Amino acid sequence: MAGEQRHVADLLVRCLEHEGVTCVFGIPGEENIHLTDALAASSIRYVLVRHEQAASFMAEIYGRLTGRAGVCSATLGPGAINMLLGTADATTNSAPLVALSAQVGLNRIYKESHQSVDLVSLFSPVTKWADMVLTPGAVPEMARKAFKLAQTERPGAVYLAVPEDIEAMAAPPGLAPLPVNTPRADEPSRSQIERAAAVLDGARRPIVLAGHGAARAGAADALRRFAERLGLHVATTFHGKGVFPDDHPLALGAVGFMRHDYVNFGFDESDVIVSVGYELARINPAGDKRILHLSRFPAEVDASYNVEVGVQADISATLDALAAATSRRWQPGEGGEKIRALLADELARGAGDDSFPVKPQRVVSDTRAALGRSGIVLADTGAVKMWMARLYPTYEPNTCLVSNGLSTMGFAMPGAIGAKLAEPGRRVLAATGDGAFLMNSQEIETALRERIPLTVLIWEDDAYGLIKWKMDLELGHDVATSFGNPDFVAYAESFGARGYRVSAAGDLLPMLTEALSADTVSVIACPVDYAENLRLTDALGELSGPF
């Protein structure tokens, strides 16, 4: 922007540039035209979307993958309210996000007025901080505070409202963005490490539970060193998938399924859980176990998550220090191998099943084969998430993304746009149920217009499959879960995207391979046999622990 500051909006955009913002996702409105104009004149890419909810999901996933706050923008009133869902999703999923919206001018905010809603009060419960710019001079400080809070552990969303008349005011001379200071994690306390080591030395069968906090901290290598040095099995949360590779001999897979799954057996027989970058919103398998909580922030209070020793510090440094201070070493039993074998066998049997509609296991297997080791899949909320989270082998952090804090439907399609902009060199796939897809499918047009290649795989069953599954389990029948669908191929092609329909199980993998290699948006409709849902939960209910 060459340093020009005609309006407060220009100053705000200078602050965004100074924070390293490269993309803003949003829809302009009458009340923030100066901000939109300033963005157009800046180095920041303004991604015009088709719904503000989608903008917030794009910003959330962009922030989750980059570690820098994703930014979404909307007008006042209904536009801002539409942006609320993805903002809440970001906070509950610990993703850094800054949400900006217009607000009515200060000259009428104190009275009943057109489109006037108390937006700060709406956003406050779902953000780390929500406020309104009341004077032009506050912009640099408020912008810096917003990004600092959004990006500091535990990361989350921040909201700023900019009144229409403030945005259009002349920027005071001499104001400039504040210096960016990046907080560094502390080294672990020696006394806390010694206490944690004493607990481990007295443990009979410790187990590691790794969450997404370990991925955010870049602690995957340290986690592997820790597990290998001590001989400990590692399970992850759904949200933490990939922070410990699923093909490692000490890997147990992901815990969090709605029934007692294979991975839970490792926790059944453990007496100490080493919790690494874990957050209670994901899943709580602790029960009466002794807990070592290794994270950047203190654990939430919970009756069944009673922390014996907490170490709040740099996670990699903590893991290395604890491994060095622990005198015991364990010989991994056969249980971990059995659990991995059960999961691998389930996936292999699915890969060889040619029945149609396609079995979920076959869809997971073909998705894994098509994406390669480092491709990114976003598994939308629904039955697709349960199958992908428990069965999809994941080898690198942030390559299998779910919403497991708020568990929001409809994030995967727009989120894939944010993912591709954050990681342009990787293949990106949105795996979504038909119910979730149509919640934000309009963003196909955004991806095409912005030339963002990605693939959408629709698990089609003409129902809200996860709710039907739960009703069948709990009630013995289901109600109000079925619906009709459009012709998804024709629907995709109407936007100018490529459309595919799977007519036999053998179609899926070549279609995925072709679509993921194409330099455009592709939509694949795949009928899925969700009769497997009840077969799975029935089978798990009959299991006895293999550990």
Side-chain angles (χ1 to χ4, degrees):
M1 292 184 62
E4 183 183 6
Q5 293 177 188
R6 296 173 301 150
H7 300 104
V8 167
D10 298 304
L11 174 59
L12 177 56
V13 170
R14 274 194 67 200
C15 291
L16 298 182
E17 289 180 312
H18 190 68
E19 294 288 344
V21 175
T22 58
C23 298
V24 171
F25 307 94
I27 298 178
E30 297 175 67
E31 294 78 14
N32 63 356
I33 56 174
H34 293 290
L35 177 65
T36 308
D37 190 48
L39 285 167
S42 75
S43 62
I44 297 171
R45 180 177 182 176
Y46 185 79
V47 179
L48 176 67
V49 305
R50 305 304 302 270
H51 196 288
E52 295 89 351
Q53 181 187 114
S56 59
F57 288 136
M58 294 175 198
E60 175 191 359
I61 298 300
Y62 184 91
R64 178 169 170 181
L65 291 177
T66 64
R68 305 187 308 272
V71 181
C72 50
S73 174
T75 190
L76 78 177
I81 293 169
N82 282 343
M83 197 167 60
L84 184 65
L85 181 57
T87 302
D89 201 59
T91 295
T92 56
N93 286 324
S94 302
L97 178 147
V98 172
L100 304 171
S101 88
Q103 180 55 293
V104 301
L106 297 180
N107 61 337
R108 61 187 178 97
I109 199 169
Y110 61 90
K111 60 184 178 180
E112 182 179 348
S113 183
H114 178 63
Q115 290 192 304
S116 180
V117 178
D118 185 353
L119 294 171
V120 171
S121 293
L122 276 175
F123 278 83
S124 288
V126 299
T127 57
K128 295 179 71 175
W129 178 56
D131 212 333
M132 182 165 59
V133 179
L134 297 175
T135 178
V139 168
E141 292 175 334
M142 295 183 81
R144 177 81 279 271
K145 181 176 179 179
F147 281 86
K148 181 177 181 178
L149 287 176
Q151 294 168 173
T152 301
E153 285 288 333
R154 177 180 176 181
V158 167
Y159 167 73
L160 284 181
V162 184
E164 179 182 14
D165 48 4
I166 295 289
E167 185 215 47
M169 286 181 182
L175 280 183
L178 299 186
V180 174
N181 47 56
T182 303
R184 292 183 57 188
D186 294 332
E187 290 296 306
S189 159
R190 180 180 296 274
S191 63
Q192 291 298 89
I193 290 293
E194 290 173 351
R195 289 183 60 212
V199 173
L200 266 183
D201 283 337
R204 176 180 53 82
R205 182 167 285 179
I207 190 171
V208 178
L209 174 62
H212 188 252
R216 294 196 304 271
D221 289 342
L223 178 61
R224 188 163 50 247
R225 288 194 301 270
F226 179 81
E228 290 171 350
R229 181 167 182 174
L230 299 188
L232 301 183
H233 286 114
V234 180
T236 72
T237 63
F238 283 4
H239 208 55
K241 279 177 69 68
V243 74
F244 195 81
D246 280 332
D247 56 354
H248 192 284
L250 293 170
L252 294 183
V255 64
F257 189 60
M258 58 185 173
R259 283 292 187 270
H260 203 78
D261 204 353
Y262 309 133
V263 184
N264 292 94
F265 294 122
F267 291 91
D268 290 344
E269 299 195 13
S270 68
D271 57 337
V272 171
I273 297 178
V274 183
S275 170
V276 183
Y278 167 75
E279 294 147 16
L280 273 172
R282 312 305 165 221
I283 185 67
N284 187 4
D288 58 354
K289 314 299 182 183
R290 303 172 77 190
I291 307 294
L292 303 181
H293 181 82
L294 316 182
S295 185
R296 292 281 300 277
F297 54 89
E300 180 62 80
V301 174
D302 187 279
S304 60
Y305 191 77
N306 190 15
V307 176
E308 186 153 341
V309 181
V311 185
Q312 286 81 55
D314 178 84
I315 293 177
S316 293
T318 297
L319 288 166
D320 287 340
L322 182 55
T326 303
S327 60
R328 290 275 306 280
R329 300 294 182 265
W330 287 263
Q331 287 297 323
E334 296 180 356
E337 186 177 346
K338 290 179 180 178
I339 288 171
R340 289 193 305 278
L342 285 167
L343 290 168
D345 180 65
E346 190 177 326
L347 196 61
R349 282 187 285 109
D353 192 325
D354 290 330
S355 60
F356 188 82
V358 186
K359 295 288 194 296
Q361 300 93 326
R362 175 70 181 260
V363 182
V364 174
S365 177
D366 285 359
T367 299
R368 177 69 280 174
L371 269 176
R373 199 169 181 92
S374 62
I376 297 171
V377 60
L378 296 88
D380 219 321
T381 299
V384 56
K385 181 180 88 169
M386 305 310 290
W387 283 102
M388 288 291 291
R390 69 176 295 273
L391 202 55
Y392 181 77
T394 310
Y395 310 118
E396 297 180 17
N398 289 324
T399 55
C400 180
L401 307 182
V402 302
S403 171
N404 215 38
L406 200 59
S407 288
T408 304
M409 289 181 69
F411 88 92
M413 167 63 225
I417 293 175
K420 190 65 178 179
L421 289 174
E423 295 283 358
R426 298 197 187 203
R427 292 179 170 185
V428 174
L429 172 72
T432 178
D434 42 11
F437 171 68
L438 284 177
M439 291 180 176
N440 274 305
S441 61
Q442 73 283 344
E443 302 308 324
I444 292 173
E445 191 278 329
T446 302
L448 287 165
R449 172 172 29 86
E450 293 288 330
R451 292 184 168 83
I452 301 171
L454 54 89
T455 299
V456 182
L457 174 60
I458 304 171
W459 293 42
E460 186 178 1
D461 72 321
D462 299 322
Y464 291 113
L466 181 61
I467 307 306
K468 184 177 185 299
W469 190 356
K470 185 73 171 180
M471 283 185 172
D472 288 340
L473 279 174
E474 302 295 332
L475 307 177
H477 63 274
D478 62 275
V479 293
T481 59
S482 298
F483 48 71
N485 277 313
D487 179 336
F488 286 123
V489 172
Y491 184 71
E493 290 175 346
S494 73
F495 286 100
R498 292 187 181 180
Y500 301 81
R501 169 159 288 279
V502 173
S503 300
D507 294 344
L508 179 56
L509 183 55
M511 284 179 179
L512 279 168
T513 302
E514 178 180 321
L516 287 164
S517 299
D519 190 29
T520 188
V521 177
S522 301
V523 178
I524 303 172
C526 180
V528 175
D529 178 10
Y530 275 148
E532 289 294 295
N533 293 350
L534 287 178
R535 294 191 188 108
L536 173 65
T537 42
D538 288 345
L540 291 177
E542 297 171 0
L543 281 174
S544 58
F547 227 73

